[in-house]
Amino acid sequence: MLIGIPKKSFVCFFCGLFLCALQPQKTYAQNGYTHAHRMGGDIDYDGDTDQLKTLNYAAIGGTHDLQLSSWGPYSKKYAGISHIADIRSGLRFDLSVVISQNEHKCIIPNVRFESGYHPWQASNDLTRYSYRYELEWKDQLYADVHYQIIDSLTAAVAIKYVNNTDQFQQLDADLMASVSYPENYSSIKLPVSPNMTWKNAIHYESLQFAHPNAKDYLPDNGWLQAEIRDSRFIDGRAVGKNFGKDSGDRASYQLRLPAQFQNGSLAIAYQLKVGKKATFKLSGLVNKTVVLTGTGKLAWKTVRIDRYSKSMHPSHLELIALGGDGNGDGNPVDLNGFLIISGPKPQVKANLKATPATTATLATSENSFASILDTLVKTQPQHLIPKKVLDRPNQQLFLKYPDLPIGYTISWPKDQEDAGKETGKGSDTKIKTRVRVREFQNDQLDVFYREKINDHVSSVFRGNQKGDYTALGLPSLTLAPHSQKWVYASFSVTHKKQPAKPIQYHLDSLFTAADRQGDSNAALSKDILPVGKKYALGGQLLKATLMTNVTYPIYTQDTYIRHFTPGKWWNSIYTWDLGFIAEGLIEINPSLAAQCLNAYTTAPGSWSPFVFHGSPVPTQQYGFFDLWNKTQSKPLLHYFYPRLKQYYQFLAGHAKGSTTTKFKSGILSTWDYFYNSGGWDDYPAQVAVHRGHLDNKVAPAITTAQMIRVAKMLRMAALQLGKNKDAQRYKSDIITWGNALQKYSWNKKSGYFSYVEHSADGQSNEQPTKPFLYQDSIDYNKGLDGAYPLLAGICTPDQQKTLLNKIFSPKHMWTKVGISVVDQSAPYYQTGGYWNGKVWMPHQWFMWKTMLDLGRGDLAYKIAKTALDVYQQEVQASYDCLEYFSPTTGRGGGWHQFSGLSSPVLNWFNAYYKIGTVTNGFEIWIRQQNFNSACDTYNALLSFDDATAPHGRTMLICMTPNHRYKASFNGQTLSIHSPYSGLLAITLPATNQKGRLIVQPVD
């Protein structure tokens, strides 16, 4: 290759297929790992742990971003490739491919709704990925659009057109370039001047509400406490959330004074409703009481700063709310920030371009200062239209957007005729090489582009001008029946004001070779058990969907980050989904899994105990548990344990401000933070609680059950680290919560653990509870919530038997597509709900793991096998990766490119069909493990959850097939169940004593 594409780029793409992507000895090594196939103890993660600690720290001051390329599938509008020039800015350069058939039908790959394209392949490190555009269903006429990240400055696209029809086809492709601004991008700005300093109010030293609410201690989305975001503010954000409403609300700041400050004025930028007032006492830099009066828009209150003396006026400033009139509760104010302007007058005149009259009074008159502040604040438009330079002789188009610090050069090969030799009888050998450049000035392409597609004269199409797309039309071509062709382009970053120098390259040698390899499943199947090959497509498309569901910018923790999302319809942080994405990433790229977990945990002492949005299901705890059992990385354990402990302490009610333990019964509740206890939006009992405004009276079972299991997992981690006091605290919680569920929640009549209804205030020391009932007679918790104490490991043998019958009985929760969230015999069960009457993967994953803990490998297999069959069937039919599945139709539904809660499909595939995979529930802590090179001998040191009574537990081990195996634990021979050659389901002895498991072939 003339452009120096590293050899590993080929390898990464070859591993892009599901069959190869999950081969640890190959893909992990690409990221610096040595897989446990080799004897010799722990996997060394020291380097990656250091990277987590310093990840973009110098650039963005945080550790929540992903270690991905500046190029990637980050767009939130149209699928393609994006570039991040400066991660702090939130600005993004996008390039998408629009493909047209015979100049009428076109596919515009909108990520916000079903638009005819499908994520198709992705490499483990996301340096290569592709989408399939279906022009004529199914695979009659299609285009595979491949993106390759070559290095930090260069990326490429190759379009493979395939015509499997009996007709000639004309196909066109437009490369659509645009710039995207972040949400809440400020519409105003202040000038830069040496005699001015600005401090946004959100960057306080401390902030306290006189009457805090629960969410003050667990801010949504990992935002700063009291932060609001809106384009009407300078910097697009401010302090709000009712700040200033109550007397005693306070905030303190360290302000930076302009250089050589002698005197001047402080201006407070704020917003209040028209006619409303808020009074604050200022102390420090200024000692004065001020009254803010509302105008309904951004306003300024100016205060004179006397001659500066460090001993008299430190740069510290504190505001204390005194109410609307200074005597009582007042009005909430949106506090934008503080502007300090100093003399001397000539500097003001030179830098602010003020008139002589205003300059003369600026430093001495507060009223005059206030009168010119509006002239300082300028509008800040979004510059959507780039400078364009088309260089036909060198096959280049140069784009420079005003607000991006760099330019972009799009290049295409000089001789497309030689770039991709077509195959098939009757192929046309000529491709038109002349390109065209057009401009679509509209915010959306979906309708506007289609309206203009037959205008062959115009080059600029003016729509609402809220967006701008520069369209580089690649050569139009004619595709003969049953043939294929390729076209190519590359994208380069240049820091100059002119196009990059032309580069000669032969992209065809990269893309066509990779594509041929990607089509050959047989060459990649040596680590997949033969019985698992039928699930390859489902895994391939889910992996591609998961890896390309990554966006920028997402705002959290005072910065912008790259972030995985459940689907690009959810443009936000989402806590419980991302724990499952991390579980899927463990099977693809453990480093990315660790980074994904890291995005949701915070350093001890942080203002947010963890990054929170959505259902407070602590999936990051489970994700780390499985990451440990995959890697046995002590550095990662040391890094994550204090973060996970902080996360736990808040949900356990042990942290300041947490309200989860508000009920005397000891049953936990998270209603104060989100309406959804288990991610199941329309779970009937949950809906009834909120409909009846019973949040302060009724608690579910799942929250307490989940926290018992988390405490047990963290206890094993604490014992590994020698933190015996922590381990004892976890055990105390386990006992307390287990007793509470048994005493107050178990409903022998219904055979479920009930929602618990408390006395009026929930605080009575007398018998405070009763079951929460439907129509005063039927347990409202006939469903998975009522079975979750199984996961906690606190059920009696009779309860366990009863609940297993509920889960696996077709009369109750078992359906032809898996476990229903709601018992089908309940009067509130319905088939048309979102969760109610549907089958989802995440809670099935929890129950699958629980079956392994209970030693019921047979039931675990039933869950996983059914899920894999259902998922593969839908993917094969539609190429879509859907949210949920209907017991009525067997088909999938919901969002069509969904990866978050469906990621367990990747875990199930590996657990049962990927050689070298070890799987257990939540009660086995793997201290050491290794396979030999032939993957027919396994050796592990295991310890157990000794907060649970000893019992048999099942491990799944995928090994080289066509052998008979024997297993022993501490010398005791174990029975092995093998449903098919290569899969071993081994039930360990009923003990909590650690020991060594050895599995080897029978001679």
Side-chain angles (χ1 to χ4, degrees):
M1 294 298 297
L2 299 181
I3 52 174
I5 299 174
K7 185 177 181 181
K8 73 173 184 178
S9 296
F10 291 92
V11 178
C12 290
F13 181 66
F14 297 164
C15 295
L17 274 180
F18 184 62
L19 292 174
C20 184
L22 307 183
Q23 294 181 23
Q25 70 272 30
K26 288 188 175 69
T27 59
Y28 296 178
Q30 294 171 12
N31 295 286
Y33 303 120
T34 303
H35 187 251
H37 277 191
R38 308 296 181 256
M39 303 288 286
D42 296 350
I43 298 174
D44 183 4
Y45 268 74
D46 289 276
D48 286 283
T49 305
D50 290 341
Q51 290 172 9
L52 284 173
K53 291 178 180 177
T54 60
L55 177 63
N56 282 329
Y57 187 82
I60 62 174
T63 61
H64 298 267
D65 190 30
L66 296 168
Q67 291 177 311
L68 293 171
S69 171
S70 56
W71 295 96
Y74 304 137
S75 174
K76 304 174 187 180
K77 296 183 72 175
Y78 299 107
I81 194 164
S82 303
H83 186 261
I84 305 167
D86 176 10
I87 199 153
R88 295 169 296 183
S89 71
L91 292 169
R92 187 185 73 237
F93 170 74
D94 292 337
L95 195 140
S96 299
V97 175
V98 173
I99 295 179
S100 303
Q101 174 189 6
N102 300 324
E103 296 188 304
H104 63 90
K105 180 179 180 180
C106 61
I107 292 181
I108 302 169
N110 195 310
V111 303
R112 300 283 294 171
F113 52 80
E114 165 51 60
S115 53
Y117 82 98
H118 306 272
W120 199 249
Q121 293 177 330
S123 65
N124 291 12
D125 58 2
L126 203 54
T127 58
R128 190 179 183 104
Y129 55 94
S130 65
Y131 302 102
R132 174 158 293 186
Y133 291 45
E134 286 282 348
L135 290 156
E136 292 188 17
W137 186 261
K138 180 181 182 187
D139 298 336
Q140 290 299 297
L141 181 66
Y142 67 89
D144 284 343
V145 180
H146 300 263
Y147 294 96
Q148 169 71 55
I149 299 168
I150 297 171
D151 54 39
S152 62
L153 299 179
T154 312
V157 63
I159 306 170
K160 174 187 174 184
Y161 296 106
V162 178
N163 180 12
N164 289 325
T165 73
D166 296 329
Q167 292 81 37
F168 282 84
Q169 303 284 354
Q170 179 183 334
L171 297 172
D172 295 272
D174 276 326
L175 305 185
M176 293 289 188
S178 61
V179 65
S180 177
Y181 287 74
E183 295 174 359
N184 305 312
Y185 183 78
S186 180
S187 60
I188 56 176
K189 64 179 180 179
L190 288 167
V192 176
S193 170
N195 61 316
M196 289 173 49
T197 62
W198 164 256
K199 179 87 164 188
N200 195 295
I202 201 63
H203 290 133
Y204 44 75
E205 291 292 309
S206 65
L207 185 144
Q208 293 177 307
F209 285 96
H211 304 293
N213 63 51
K215 283 205 165 185
D216 290 335
Y217 298 94
L218 185 63
D220 279 329
N221 301 298
W223 291 8
L224 301 174
Q225 184 183 3
E227 182 173 9
I228 56 175
R229 297 178 60 77
D230 195 287
S231 60
R232 69 181 185 271
F233 297 119
I234 298 168
D235 306 325
R237 52 187 180 156
V239 164
K241 302 287 182 67
N242 288 320
F243 181 76
K245 180 178 183 296
D246 297 326
S247 295
D249 290 353
R250 62 178 61 203
S252 63
Y253 298 87
Q254 290 292 332
L255 302 181
R256 183 174 60 85
L257 299 174
Q260 301 178 343
F261 181 86
Q262 293 182 343
N263 53 51
S265 294
L266 167 73
I268 304 171
Y270 68 94
Q271 183 166 289
L272 265 170
K273 291 182 179 180
V274 176
K276 300 295 184 180
K277 293 184 178 182
T279 304
F280 287 90
K281 177 184 177 182
L282 309 183
S283 61
L285 178 64
V286 172
N287 294 287
K288 188 173 182 178
T289 296
V290 298
V291 178
L292 309 181
T293 301
T295 64
K297 60 182 181 179
L298 192 67
W300 298 88
K301 177 65 179 179
T302 61
V303 184
R304 178 180 173 80
I305 303 175
D306 295 330
R307 181 172 293 275
Y308 177 66
S309 167
K310 288 185 178 180
S311 60
M312 295 175 59
H313 298 293
S315 56
H316 177 79
L317 179 69
E318 183 176 50
L319 295 83
I320 302 176
L322 301 179
D325 57 5
N327 297 313
D329 289 343
N331 298 295
V333 61
D334 296 335
L335 191 62
N336 195 178
F338 309 95
L339 178 68
I340 299 175
I341 296 184
S342 70
K345 300 171 190 176
Q347 290 183 351
V348 175
K349 180 177 180 179
N351 290 287
L352 300 184
K353 299 181 181 180
T355 65
T358 56
T359 299
T361 59
L362 183 58
T364 58
S365 169
E366 294 177 9
N367 292 332
S368 297
F369 187 18
S371 69
I372 69 164
L373 280 171
D374 287 339
T375 68
L376 299 179
V377 179
K378 305 296 183 182
T379 59
Q380 182 170 244
Q382 297 183 12
H383 298 101
L384 303 171
I385 301 175
K387 171 189 174 184
K388 293 182 282 289
V389 178
L390 177 61
D391 181 359
R392 287 191 182 278
N394 290 311
Q395 296 82 48
Q396 291 185 321
L397 174 65
F398 173 71
L399 304 174
K400 177 63 178 74
Y401 293 88
D403 289 332
L404 292 180
I406 58 178
Y408 296 91
T409 301
I410 305 175
S411 305
W412 56 96
K414 184 175 182 180
D415 191 352
Q416 281 278 10
E417 287 93 340
D418 294 332
K421 294 294 186 182
E422 65 282 352
T423 62
K425 185 177 179 180
S427 296
D428 181 12
T429 60
K430 294 296 182 181
I431 302 176
K432 299 176 183 178
T433 58
R434 188 171 182 83
V435 301
R436 61 179 178 179
V437 177
R438 296 180 294 172
E439 188 172 333
F440 295 84
Q441 297 179 352
N442 203 66
D443 57 346
Q444 297 290 339
L445 288 171
D446 307 278
V447 173
F448 189 71
Y449 180 88
R450 288 180 170 89
E451 287 180 341
K452 306 301 180 182
I453 193 170
N454 288 308
D455 184 339
H456 302 288
V457 177
S458 302
S459 59
V460 178
F461 303 98
R462 291 180 174 84
N464 61 23
Q465 297 185 298
K466 295 180 180 179
D468 185 272
Y469 297 86
T470 299
L472 174 67
L474 293 179
S476 178
L477 59 87
T478 300
L479 203 62
H482 303 288
S483 67
Q484 66 180 44
K485 294 179 182 177
W486 290 76
V487 294
Y488 310 94
S490 66
F491 327 116
S492 300
V493 170
T494 175
H495 294 277
K496 299 179 181 179
K497 296 182 179 180
Q498 296 297 325
K501 292 182 179 180
I503 302 174
Q504 297 297 321
Y505 50 84
H506 299 292
L507 288 174
D508 58 317
S509 62
L510 168 65
F511 284 104
T512 56
D515 183 71
R516 285 195 298 271
Q517 182 71 21
D519 285 341
S520 177
N521 288 344
L524 303 174
S525 61
K526 62 182 180 179
D527 287 336
I528 303 300
L529 297 178
V531 293
K533 293 179 183 179
K534 62 183 179 180
Y535 301 116
L537 181 65
Q540 174 189 319
L541 299 196
L542 176 56
K543 180 197 171 188
T545 300
L546 186 156
M547 293 296 286
T548 57
N549 271 341
V550 59
T551 64
Y552 171 87
I554 294 291
Y555 177 81
T556 189
Q557 299 284 292
D558 200 27
T559 191
Y560 290 116
I561 65 170
R562 286 160 287 197
H563 178 65
F564 286 104
T565 64
K568 293 199 175 184
W569 192 84
W570 293 271
N571 179 27
S572 68
I573 294 291
Y574 219 103
T575 306
W576 97 289
D577 288 72
L578 267 291
F580 281 103
I581 285 180
E583 288 284 355
L585 287 169
I586 288 172
E587 310 295 349
I588 299 169
N589 185 328
S591 177
L592 278 178
Q595 294 168 49
C596 184
L597 294 173
N598 189 61
Y600 285 82
T601 63
T602 57
S606 171
W607 72 87
S608 55
F610 58 97
V611 175
F612 169 68
H613 175 83
S615 303
V617 182
T619 51
Q620 284 70 34
Q621 305 280 352
Y622 297 95
F624 180 76
F625 182 85
D626 284 342
L627 185 62
W628 163 266
N629 276 342
K630 173 74 75 173
T631 67
Q632 293 79 59
S633 167
K634 292 185 177 70
L636 277 183
L637 179 61
H638 282 281
Y639 177 82
F640 273 108
Y641 176 77
R643 292 169 173 250
L644 294 171
K645 177 184 174 183
Q646 176 174 264
Y647 188 151
Y648 167 86
Q649 286 177 318
F650 190 88
L651 290 182
H654 302 324
K656 180 181 178 182
S658 174
T659 64
T660 62
T661 55
K662 61 186 177 184
F663 297 130
K664 287 292 186 179
S665 66
I667 307 293
L668 300 175
S669 170
T670 56
W671 300 135
D672 288 344
Y673 305 102
F674 200 63
Y675 77 95
N676 203 325
S677 63
W680 35 41
D681 302 59
D682 57 350
Y683 190 77
Q686 176 176 281
V687 171
V689 166
H690 298 306
R691 185 187 298 123
H693 305 288
L694 302 173
D695 308 51
N696 289 322
K697 291 184 63 177
V698 179
I702 184 175
T703 304
T704 307
Q706 290 268 8
M707 289 305 294
I708 292 172
R709 178 51 65 197
V710 170
K712 290 180 174 182
M713 293 188 298
L714 285 178
R715 187 171 185 275
M716 287 186 276
L719 291 172
Q720 174 82 40
L721 293 169
K723 296 182 179 294
N724 295 326
K725 288 185 179 179
D726 285 359
Q728 187 56 44
R729 179 60 184 269
Y730 296 133
K731 189 170 185 178
S732 176
D733 287 342
I734 291 164
I735 293 171
T736 297
W737 295 331
N739 290 340
L741 284 175
Q742 287 290 356
K743 183 176 181 180
Y744 300 118
S745 183
W746 173 246
N747 187 333
K748 188 175 182 179
K749 180 180 178 182
S750 68
Y752 286 101
F753 285 81
S754 300
Y755 266 40
V756 178
E757 184 172 354
H758 297 77
S759 58
D761 60 2
Q763 303 300 311
S764 172
N765 288 317
E766 299 177 359
Q767 182 74 346
T769 68
K770 62 180 180 180
F772 183 51
L773 302 178
Y774 172 77
Q775 295 184 349
D776 298 324
S777 60
I778 301 171
D779 193 333
Y780 230 137
N781 206 24
K782 288 185 174 183
L784 273 178
D785 186 290
Y788 252 90
L790 273 177
L791 171 121
I794 56 113
C795 294
T796 67
D798 286 343
Q799 290 169 344
Q800 179 177 310
K801 181 179 179 180
T802 298
L803 290 172
L804 288 180
N805 178 63
K806 299 288 190 184
I807 293 171
F808 293 97
S809 167
K811 295 180 180 179
H812 296 286
M813 282 191 277
W814 187 259
T815 76
K816 65 182 181 181
V817 295
I819 304 172
S820 170
V821 172
V822 180
D823 189 322
Q824 298 166 96
S825 70
Y828 38 78
Y829 174 82
Q830 57 181 282
T831 59
Y834 184 48
W835 284 77
N836 187 0
K838 299 299 190 299
V839 170
W840 293 66
M841 301 303 178
H843 291 293
Q844 292 195 105
W845 180 86
F846 279 120
M847 291 299 106
W848 171 66
K849 285 276 200 171
T850 299
M851 296 308 108
L852 296 176
D853 279 336
L854 296 177
R856 293 302 305 269
D858 56 332
L859 296 179
Y861 180 70
K862 183 175 183 178
I863 293 171
K865 178 69 163 53
T866 301
L868 286 168
D869 286 339
V870 168
Y871 201 82
Q872 176 65 25
Q873 175 181 299
E874 179 58 46
V875 167
Q876 189 69 52
S878 67
Y879 289 164
D880 285 333
C881 295
L882 292 158
E883 285 186 84
Y884 56 75
F885 297 85
S886 167
T888 303
T889 66
R891 295 299 302 272
W895 187 247
H896 65 295
Q897 291 175 0
F898 187 73
S899 56
L901 300 177
S902 296
S903 294
V905 171
L906 298 174
N907 304 105
W908 288 321
F909 180 88
N910 267 22
Y912 289 96
Y913 304 112
K914 176 67 179 63
I915 298 171
T917 303
V918 178
T919 307
N920 50 271
F922 303 119
E923 296 186 1
I924 298 175
W925 181 264
I926 302 177
R927 289 178 172 266
Q928 297 174 3
Q929 69 173 336
N930 53 68
F931 284 94
N932 67 348
S933 58
C935 237
D936 62 6
T937 299
Y938 176 73
N939 191 315
L941 179 62
L942 310 177
S943 60
F944 302 97
D945 165 26
D946 63 5
T948 304
H951 62 279
R953 303 168 174 101
T954 298
M955 290 183 68
L956 304 175
I957 307 177
C958 244
M959 304 187 75
T960 300
N962 304 319
H963 289 290
R964 290 189 305 113
Y965 289 95
K966 61 182 179 179
S968 64
F969 183 76
N970 286 346
Q972 178 183 344
T973 300
L974 305 176
S975 63
I976 299 175
H977 175 63
S978 184
Y980 44 82
S981 181
L983 176 65
L984 282 62
I986 301 171
T987 299
L988 298 167
T991 180
N992 282 342
Q993 296 299 313
K994 71 178 180 180
R996 186 163 296 279
L997 173 67
I998 298 175
V999 183
Q1000 53 193 349
V1002 177
D1003 294 333

